[in-house]
């Protein structure tokens, strides 16, 4: 029997989500270089951002609102994995607004965010889709099926809505996503890292129309 419960995030999850992000991704300085200068302010910003997404989803009249899903371990009630996604109707319906500065980041981070958006606009165009912004698993629960549980949940949603799923993967995550039906369709970047720059694989999963 599975120990995982996938559910919509609640307001009380804002801080645990931030903790999973911190523990899963480690040193935030590669994408948020100013975070280390004021860790408390950075954590407060993370929590406020998470809470804003959660409340917007709770109050939304539209299904296109960004949403947090969490995977709860039913044994100890801790959050094992988190996923943030958005249903997008037509990405190119409005012009791209250039990002000049990234929160707690700098020019390299802003350039990467712009590159990600422009790549997705080029690949998805007018096609409605589900965009997976973030998928992270707490180190205590990695390789135990938590990420697969929330991805399975998302695949069912995508199949029911007949929508492709789009995401940017870490290079080491490509194999896992490939097993879940995603195909590598390109790359974006470069992604700024403390030890250099890497291109980020872009992956798309088409809906299973047999569902």
């Amino acid at each position: 029997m599975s120990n995982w419960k996938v559910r919509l995030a609640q307001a009380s999850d804002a801080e645990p989500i931030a903790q999973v992000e911190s523990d899963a991704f480690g040193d935030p300085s590669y994408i948020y270089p100013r975070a280390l200068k004021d860790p408390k302010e950075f954590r407060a910003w993370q929590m406020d951002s998470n809470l804003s997404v959660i409340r917007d989803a709770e109050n939304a009249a539209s299904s296109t609102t960004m949403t947090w899903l969490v995977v709860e371990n039913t044994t100890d009630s801790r959050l094992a994995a988190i996923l943030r996604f958005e249903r997008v109707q037509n990405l190119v319906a409005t012009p791209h607004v250039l990002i000049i500065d990234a929160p707690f980041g700098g020019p390299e981070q802003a350039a990467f965010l712009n590159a990600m958006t422009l790549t997705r606009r080029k690949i998805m165009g007018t096609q409605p889709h589900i965009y997976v912004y973030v998928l992270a698993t707490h180190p205590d629960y990695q390789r135990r099926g938590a990420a697969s549980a929330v991805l399975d949940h998302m695949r069912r949603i995508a199949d029911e809505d007949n929508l492709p799923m789009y995401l940017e993967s870490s290079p080491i995550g490509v194999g896992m996503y490939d097993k879940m039906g995603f195909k590598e369709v390109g790359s974006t970047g470069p992604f700024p890292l403390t030890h250099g720059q890497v291109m980020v694989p872009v992956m798309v999963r088409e809906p299973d129309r047999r569902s």
Side-chain angles (χ1 to χ4, degrees):
M1 183 176 179
S2 174
N3 292 331
W4 310 127
K5 177 183 178 181
V6 181
R7 59 174 175 80
L8 290 172
Q10 304 167 352
S12 59
D13 294 317
E15 195 282 331
I17 289 173
Q19 189 63 54
V20 172
E21 289 181 287
S22 176
D23 292 338
F25 297 128
D27 179 6
S29 61
Y30 65 92
I31 188 64
Y32 300 113
R34 297 201 296 263
L36 298 183
K37 294 182 179 179
D38 195 337
K40 290 184 178 179
E41 184 180 353
F42 176 66
R43 175 52 65 89
W45 171 78
Q46 281 185 303
M47 291 177 57
D48 287 346
S49 298
N50 294 340
L51 188 58
S52 177
V53 170
I54 292 167
R55 286 179 170 164
D56 285 349
E58 289 175 342
N59 300 324
S62 169
S63 62
T64 60
T65 303
M66 196 180 300
T67 305
W68 272 113
L69 291 176
V70 299
V71 182
E72 182 180 320
N73 184 343
T74 57
T75 302
D76 58 20
S77 299
R78 293 174 61 196
L79 295 193
I82 56 175
L83 184 148
R84 182 159 58 106
F85 75 97
E86 180 183 17
R87 290 182 180 87
V88 179
Q89 294 299 320
N90 181 353
L91 189 61
V92 297
T94 57
H96 171 58
V97 178
L98 194 68
I99 298 173
I100 304 300
D101 189 26
F104 291 90
E108 288 184 338
Q109 287 70 32
F112 176 68
L113 294 175
N114 284 314
M116 284 200 306
T117 300
L118 292 172
T119 299
R120 185 159 61 102
R121 288 170 68 94
K122 179 180 179 180
I123 292 174
M124 301 310 294
T126 61
Q127 186 177 12
H129 62 280
I130 290 175
Y131 179 35
V132 177
Y133 279 82
V134 176
L135 171 59
T137 306
H138 191 280
D140 290 348
Y141 301 102
Q142 289 176 358
R143 301 186 181 278
R144 293 172 55 183
S148 294
V150 73
L151 275 176
D152 278 338
H153 184 89
M154 281 305 312
R155 290 194 303 178
R156 288 193 294 271
I157 291 175
D159 291 344
E160 289 171 1
D161 293 347
N162 196 30
L163 292 175
M165 295 170 63
Y166 178 105
L167 56 79
E168 296 97 9
S169 171
S170 66
I172 63 173
V174 169
M176 178 191 73
Y177 291 121
D178 185 71
K179 292 178 181 177
M180 303 293 282
F182 288 84
K183 300 301 179 186
E184 191 170 348
V185 296
S187 62
T188 190
F191 186 62
L193 294 172
T194 53
H195 59 274
Q197 296 181 328
V198 298
M199 296 301 290
V200 176
V202 171
M203 306 193 75
V204 172
R205 175 191 179 269
E206 296 296 334
D208 185 348
R209 293 176 173 83
R210 297 171 298 174
S211 300

